[in-house]
Amino acid sequence: MYFVIISVALFAALAVVTLRNRIYKLPSYHVLNIFIFVPIVGLICARLFHIAYEQWDQYANDPVLIFYYWIGGYVYYAGAIGGFLLISIIAATVA
């Protein structure tokens, strides 16, 4: 159920951004780049922040656990910061 809620939210956001994109007349591939890469970068940043700052002792002793993403360990605000930084980089390259 959680996946369905997240998917609906992403598609709604994509629809809103696509409509607003027509106002600003930007190439549509920038919007698609944002919607493809921001969730990926957000997950990577959230996982790395968890590894580096919250559970470093556990992962330093057994580095293979870094790749066990299904066990958990994501920091939501680090994912948001990583996504915001990626959007800023994309916006800076467009301008």
Side-chain angles (χ1 to χ4, degrees):
M1 187 66 183
Y2 185 71
F3 175 74
V4 173
I5 294 170
I6 296 296
S7 298
V8 169
L10 282 175
F11 283 119
L14 180 61
V16 169
V17 170
T18 303
L19 291 174
R20 300 225 5 123
N21 190 32
R22 292 180 186 165
I23 295 170
Y24 296 112
K25 296 177 178 55
L26 293 173
S28 61
Y29 61 87
H30 292 302
V31 174
L32 293 177
N33 283 341
I34 289 171
F35 274 90
I36 291 171
F37 294 116
V38 166
I40 295 169
V41 169
L43 284 173
I44 291 170
C45 289
R47 181 69 176 168
L48 289 176
F49 192 84
H50 169 75
I51 292 167
Y53 291 105
E54 291 188 352
Q55 298 287 330
W56 177 248
D57 296 334
Q58 177 184 359
Y59 293 110
N61 292 333
D62 194 7
V64 176
L65 292 176
I66 292 172
F67 301 106
Y68 292 172
Y69 62 89
W70 56 87
I71 294 175
Y74 295 96
V75 179
Y76 71 92
Y77 53 86
I81 292 169
F84 177 74
L85 288 175
L86 181 63
I87 290 172
S88 299
I89 291 169
I90 292 173
T93 59
V94 171

